[in-house]
Amino acid sequence: MIPVATPEPVYNEFTGKPLADGVPVFEAALLGLEPPRYCAYCARRMIVQVSPHGWTARCSRHGELDSKSRER
Ligand SMILES: [Zn+2]
């Protein structure tokens, strides 16, 4: 869950690089199949746990994401 006060994502969740660099995002990532490795808001390494049902990724500053929140 991302706090309401959090601004737009700034960093690529998979590379930790600024989004402004225009790094392409993998197809699997867009589908929510691939857990993010870096927080999109602060580029910290996130604690990623993969389970048979999906994944969770936690930033110590910005809280937890999970694969369910990415499903479309
Ligand atoms: Zn963060």
Side-chain angles (χ1 to χ4, degrees):
M1 191 68 72
I2 297 166
V4 177
T6 305
E8 290 289 299
V10 181
Y11 298 102
N12 185 297
E13 295 175 314
F14 302 94
T15 63
K17 300 261 167 54
L19 287 176
D21 284 1
V23 181
V25 177
F26 309 107
E27 186 88 2
L30 292 172
L31 293 172
L33 301 174
E34 188 75 19
R37 313 242 188 272
Y38 297 89
C39 178
Y41 306 100
C42 65
R44 279 179 164 77
R45 287 292 299 240
M46 297 204 291
I47 300 158
V48 177
Q49 290 189 308
V50 178
S51 78
H53 307 292
W55 49 259
T56 61
R58 187 171 15 172
C59 170
S60 59
R61 286 276 299 276
H62 296 103
E64 194 168 280
L65 292 170
D66 63 50
S67 53
K68 287 198 172 55
S69 69
R70 297 297 177 87
E71 283 172 7
R72 304 182 186 187

